[in-house]
């Protein structure tokens, strides 16, 4: 596990494998103290390899305990192979043969949640990216695709359910209470898509008839107590299957599709062929225990993993530098799906907020990397917002450049050209080029250059000539390892909004919205026959992942908010206005001046609350001031207290000025219908709960309302919102304590609800946050061994409770550093994700800056640092 000088892997060093594995036959003999894995690999030399005399070098982690090796049934002596820390080398081999190894591994001691491990009473695997090598010796790289057969043997009573990829082709009972099942997957796949599960699981079953009339068996496996929480995932799965047929022409291929829920999982879920393994938090949902946001997350992740069956499994990645080939495309696909199932504009706004807050921050920090990285030390560190979210934006831009019909043709061509292959991002772009006839040469820079481009826009209206000119200037800041970037091809969707709120015709065809492709560093666009000075509506729908600046006046922003035909830009105009108001307040706070909120903002909010024609979900989004995290991202220097104070002040001012309208809105939105996690209800609840958040700043009103809501709520969305409101309100601390206790009593047996309980307390911005965290770590609802719990408590505290985490004594940093050291030995991936909270130390003023750096340095000085941490810490210092 330890690695003092981690090796860097470079894209430019890619070579095809020297050997191929046509068939992989595995036998897993699962015992309580170990698992015996016998692997027979039918291998042959790769005719495309340049080194036809190369030895066979199989990957295998140090916890894989080799028992013996056979070639075509002949046992090798110890001089016939060489074992190093990470590999097994066999020098002399016929050009094609069967290599059999037997190894012992210890799943019950595996705390990293990679490879084969135990989650409670269950055995399960996680092989992406390089976990298979911790199970047995293999060519653990995605361009080695093989046909897998797996025989699982285990105690029948404890492990009645034995699952792997593909179809069950044989099963039987054995002596001394054991049984076996043999699985065969007819589709060739890389080892990272292998999975096995063994446990005492119950299942919910359903079926789906494909477009071509095949009936697919659908199963969700969970612990028996969770059987009542599977309906939403099942419905989401069927919707996703139908949607992928209709939208991308993609049908499911195997006879059954299985999902297994496990409590201990590093990520959301995993797309193993025919056997998706899910974090319980990404599959279980029930109105009593699950918030609206969590319901929507389940829908999105179920769809995401299902969509991988084509974008990831049937067509997979040649190497891990191509990760965004499957992830960017699949995130794009799941976003389109969620947009179609719910409200497209709401989904778009949520995604852009997420991107701007987190991906922009990543892109401006020490780990900044292109969508296609060119090097890594630890691939697990590259499952990032850039690869996923920015990668999806890049696919969205291709879609917008090509249009619906051509984009679909491009995706059809990509899937048909490369079905069964392991390919590169280049192949995806080429297919899009081939169908469209477009030259995407410059566009490809989006995959290669890191950093968030900035577009500055100026305008000039010539009243005499009736022309309107827009001047664009693009740049991209330097990022680690990259300076002097070339101009990107930036598609800017725009319109010109007239005084009456209408979009002006932009050309002789009468188009009122256009996409301009910026390709130069500076570029001018001239519009003719423009009868009046318009307000430009730029980057509609967020047509490119850039920061765009235009010197809007408040009046112009108000005009766009009221009239823009593009829903996204109506919202964004409000955000721009709020940002400028916040900026001023932050400066006032820093200068110790008296804070004053511009009356303009209050007027705008007043207008919004008075307009009952607005969709509640949209109104909710428009009432959100930029979050503290977003203000941090935008700031040159992060003044944590000033930002917190300014934002609280703005919120309180809004609440005071608009008290009666807020209260009226809260009452008007009381839900009469039975709970359903559908877009329209979700939007109403979200709005009502945001309004409650404002009302909490009014001591005479808020606490009572929230306490009532907490006690009368019939669903977790409203209950958790009320609890959160009480906990964060200084004037409601008595109620907060009672509510926390009542919640704890009611949900003691509900792991996910208790995680929410931890999370709400972790983000409590009242003073003494760190003490509360430390106390909660002793609570039975917490365990450092469970990634969800670490995220709910420590993760939430460090990323979403800035005022407490960044306290000027540095105790938050010290605490995090200690936790990271502990997690270093337990779970490298979880540790590496947590450390991000320290890596942007350069943006903080003293004393925080130095204190954060000290904490990082302490981590760096640790002897046995795993390479996940070593990479991030060394790049940050
Ligand atoms: N490939 C998974 C996804 O769908 C994510 C994942 C990566 C899960 C690595 C586990 C380990 O995005
Ligand atoms: Zn994915």
């Amino acid at each position: 596990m330890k690695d003092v000088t981690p090796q860097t892997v470079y894209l430019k060093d890619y070579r095809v494998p020297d050997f191929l594995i046509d068939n992989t036959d595995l036998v897993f003999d699962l015992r309580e103290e170990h698992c015996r894995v016998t692997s027979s690999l039918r291998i042959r030399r790769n005719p495309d390899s340049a080194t036809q005399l190369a030895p066979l070098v199989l990957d295998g982690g140090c916890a894989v305990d080799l028992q013996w090796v056979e070639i075509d049934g002949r046992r090798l002596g110890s001089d016939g192979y060489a074992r190093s820390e990470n590999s097994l080398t066999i020098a002399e081999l016929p050009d094609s043969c069967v290599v059999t190894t037997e190894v012992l591994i210890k799943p019950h001691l595996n705390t990293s949640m990679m490879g084969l491990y135990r989650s409670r009473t269950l055995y399960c695997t996680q092989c992406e990216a390089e976990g298979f090598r911790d199970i047995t010796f293999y060519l653990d790289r995605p361009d080695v695709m093989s046909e897998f057969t797996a025989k699982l043997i285990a105690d029948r009573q404890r492990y009645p359910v034995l699952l792997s990829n593909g179809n069950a082709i044989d099963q039987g009972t054995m002596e001394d209470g054991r049984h076996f099942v043999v699985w065969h997957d007819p589709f060739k796949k890389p080892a990272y898509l292998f999975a096995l599960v063994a446990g005492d699981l119950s299942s919910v079953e359903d079926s789906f008839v494909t477009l071509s009339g095949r009936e697919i068996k659908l199963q969700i496996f969970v612990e028996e107590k969770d059987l009542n929480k599977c309906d939403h995932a099942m419905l989401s799965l069927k919707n996703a299957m139908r949607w992928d047929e209709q939208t991308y022409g993609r049908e499911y291929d195997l006879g059954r599709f299985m999902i297994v829920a496990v409590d201990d999982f590093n990520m959301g879920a995993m797309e193993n062929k025919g056997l998706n393994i899910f974090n319980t938090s990404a599959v279980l949902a029930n109105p009593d225990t699950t918030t609206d946001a969590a319901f929507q997350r389940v829908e999105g992740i179920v769809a995401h993993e299902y969509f991988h069956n084509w974008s990831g499994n049937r067509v997979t990645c040649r190497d891990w530098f191509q990760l965004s080939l499957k992830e960017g495309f699949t995130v794009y696909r799941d976003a389109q799906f969620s947009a179609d199932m719910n409200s497209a504009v709401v989904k778009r706004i949520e995604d852009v907020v997420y991107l701007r807050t987190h991906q922009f921050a990543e892109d401006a920090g020490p780990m900044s990397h292109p969508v296609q990285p060119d090097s890594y030390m630890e691939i697990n560190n590259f499952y990032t917002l850039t690869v996923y979210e920015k990668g999806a934006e890049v696919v969205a831009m291709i879609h917008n450049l090509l249009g619906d019909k051509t984009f679909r043709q491009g995706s059809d061509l990509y899937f048909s050209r490369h079905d069964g292959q392991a390919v590169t991002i280049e192949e995806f772009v080429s297919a899009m080029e081939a169908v469209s006839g477009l030259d995407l040469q410059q566009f490809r820079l989006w995959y290669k250059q890191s950093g968030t481009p900035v577009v500055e826009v100026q305008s000039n209206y010539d009243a005499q000539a009736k022309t309107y000119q827009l001047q664009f200037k693009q740049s991209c800041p330097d990022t680690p390892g990259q300076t002097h970037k070339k101009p990107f091809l930036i598609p800017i969707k725009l319109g010109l909004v007239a005084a009456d709120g209408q979009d002006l015709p932009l050309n002789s065809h009468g188009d009122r919205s256009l996409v301009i492709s910026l390709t130069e560093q500076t570029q001018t666009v001239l519009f003719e026959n423009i009868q009046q000075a318009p307000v430009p509506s730029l980057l509609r729908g967020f047509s490119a992942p850039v920061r765009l600046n235009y010197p809007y006046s408040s009046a112009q922003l108000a005009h766009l908010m009221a009239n823009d035909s593009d829903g996204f830009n109506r919202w964004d105009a409000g955000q721009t206005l709020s940002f400028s108001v916040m900026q001023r307040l932050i400066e006032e706070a820093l200068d110790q001046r008296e804070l004053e909120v511009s009356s303009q903002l209050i007027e705008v909010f007043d207008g919004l609350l008075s307009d009952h024609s607005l969709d509640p979900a949209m109104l909710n989004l428009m009432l959100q001031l930029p979050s503290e995290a977003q203000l941090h991202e935008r700031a040159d220097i992060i003044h944590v207290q000033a930002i917190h104070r300014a934002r609280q002040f703005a919120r309180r001012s809004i609440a005071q000025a608009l008290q009666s309208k807020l209260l009226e809105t809260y009452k008007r939105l009381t839900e009469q219908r039975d709970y359903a996690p559908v877009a329209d209800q979700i939007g109403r609840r979200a709005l009502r709960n945001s309004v409650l958040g404002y009302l909490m700043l009014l001591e005479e009103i808020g606490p009572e309302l929230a306490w009532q809501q907490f006690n009368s709520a019939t669903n977790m969305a409203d209950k958790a919102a009320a609890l959160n409101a009480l906990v964060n309100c200084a004037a409601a601390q008595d109620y907060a304590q009672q509510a926390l206790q009542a919640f704890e009593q009611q949900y003691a047996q509900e792991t996910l609800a208790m995680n929410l309980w931890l999370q709400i307390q972790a983000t409590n911005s009242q003073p003494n946050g760190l003490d509360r965290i430390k106390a909660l770590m002793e609570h039975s609802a917490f365990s450092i061994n469970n990634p969800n719990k670490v995220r709910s408590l420590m993760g939430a505290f460090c990323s979403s409770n800035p005022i407490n985490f960044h306290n000027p004594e540095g105790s938050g940093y010290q605490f995090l550093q200690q936790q990271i050291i502990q997690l270093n030995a337990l779970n490298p991936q979880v540790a590496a994700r947590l450390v991000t909270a320290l890596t942007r130390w350069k943006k903080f003023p003293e004393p925080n800056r130095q204190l954060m750096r000290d904490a990082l340095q302490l981590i760096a000085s640790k002897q046995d640092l795993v390479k996940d941490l070593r990479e991030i810490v060394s790049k940050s210092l």
Side-chain angles (χ1 to χ4, degrees), residues 149-152 167-171 180-184:
T149 306
K151 178 174 187 176
L152 318 188
N167 310 307
I169 54 169
D170 193 13
Q171 59 186 64
F180 71 88
V181 182
V182 181
W183 291 83
H184 172 247

Side-chain angles (χ1 to χ4, degrees), residues 22-50:
D22 292 319
N23 296 82
T24 301
D25 286 307
L26 303 167
V27 180
F28 290 85
D29 190 5
L30 288 155
R31 309 272 170 173
E32 290 309 290
E33 296 302 307
H34 66 249
C35 177
R36 188 176 300 272
V37 186
T38 314
S39 143
S40 293
L41 312 178
R42 175 166 295 283
I43 68 162
R44 66 186 156 93
R45 279 198 188 271
N46 182 359
D48 296 337
S49 164

Side-chain angles (χ1 to χ4, degrees), residues 271 304-305 308 326-327 330 388:
E271 70 264 23
H304 178 98
E305 305 310 332
H308 268 315
K326 74 179 178 79
E327 296 305 346
T330 305
Y388 276 67

Side-chain angles (χ1 to χ4, degrees), residues 273-537:
K273 182 80 188 186
L275 177 59
N276 288 358
I277 296 184
F278 272 62
N279 189 320
T280 43
S281 75
V283 59
L284 302 182
N286 170 319
D288 185 38
T289 52
T290 309
T291 62
D292 286 329
F295 266 100
Q296 294 202 300
R297 178 165 177 266
V298 166
E299 179 182 66
I301 298 184
V302 167
H304 178 98
E305 305 310 332
Y306 173 73
F307 295 155
H308 268 315
N309 192 55
W310 276 96
S311 49
N313 301 2
R314 294 281 294 241
V315 181
T316 194
C317 301
R318 185 191 75 173
D319 55 73
W320 293 119
F321 297 102
Q322 319 300 327
L323 184 55
S324 196
L325 174 71
K326 74 179 178 79
E327 296 305 346
F329 188 22
T330 305
V331 170
Y332 178 63
R333 277 149 55 69
D334 84 56
Q336 286 182 291
F337 168 75
S338 293
D340 284 352
M341 293 294 123
N342 302 286
S343 152
V345 57
V346 169
K347 170 68 177 159
R348 187 67 187 138
I349 292 169
E350 289 168 351
D351 286 351
V352 172
V353 169
Y354 188 62
L355 186 87
R356 282 178 173 163
T357 309
H358 302 292
Q359 196 279 324
F360 280 19
E362 178 171 279
D363 231 350
M367 281 293 288
S368 177
H369 57 276
V371 172
Q372 179 178 77
D374 40 32
S375 71
Y376 60 77
M377 289 181 202
E378 171 53 65
I379 185 57
N380 289 329
N381 287 334
F382 287 81
Y383 286 77
T384 58
L385 294 144
T386 300
V387 166
Y388 276 67
E389 265 56 51
K390 186 176 182 181
E393 292 298 324
V394 175
V395 177
M397 286 191 284
I398 295 179
H399 188 164
N400 288 333
L401 288 169
L402 268 63
D404 291 343
K405 210 170 135 230
T406 312
F407 180 75
R408 168 65 194 272
Q409 285 168 352
S411 113
D412 285 351
L413 179 63
Y414 167 72
F415 286 128
S416 68
R417 265 189 188 170
H418 302 297
D419 192 8
Q421 298 177 3
V423 302
T424 59
I425 287 171
E426 174 54 29
E427 258 110 21
F428 181 79
V429 180
S430 299
M432 294 296 169
E433 232 167 13
V435 292
S436 64
L438 289 178
D439 176 355
L440 296 175
Q441 208 45 46
Q442 185 184 10
F443 184 84
R444 285 172 171 82
L445 289 171
W446 282 108
Y447 288 105
K448 307 267 185 202
Q449 290 189 155
S450 56
T452 307
V454 180
V455 179
E456 303 285 350
V457 192
Q458 299 278 338
S459 64
N460 184 21
Y461 180 62
D462 184 334
Q464 217 107 70
K466 304 278 182 231
T467 57
Y468 184 71
Q469 200 182 48
L470 288 172
Q471 295 126 29
F472 295 90
K473 195 166 167 232
Q474 63 161 301
S475 60
C476 184
D478 290 352
T479 42
Q482 292 196 356
T483 54
H484 304 297
K485 293 172 203 190
K486 300 194 187 111
F488 290 85
L489 189 162
I490 304 179
I492 308 252
K493 188 173 184 197
L494 57 80
L496 301 179
V497 184
D500 65 356
Q502 297 297 306
D503 282 337
L504 292 172
L506 302 173
N507 54 23
S508 51
H509 308 298
D511 291 326
R512 285 163 200 265
S513 196
L514 276 185
V515 179
I516 306 287
S517 284
L518 294 191
T519 54
E520 309 294 321
Q521 205 162 44
T522 59
Q523 207 166 317
T524 305
V525 185
L526 189 74
F527 300 95
E528 291 176 335
N529 285 319
I530 303 296
Q531 300 303 316
Q532 49 169 295
V535 181
S537 168

Side-chain angles (χ1 to χ4, degrees), residues 228-245:
N228 62 345
K229 303 192 189 77
C230 299
D231 292 355
H232 186 65
M234 188 64 90
L235 178 65
S236 304
L237 174 61
K238 289 188 287 184
N239 286 339
M241 294 178 87
R242 189 63 74 216
W243 186 90
D244 212 18
E245 292 180 340

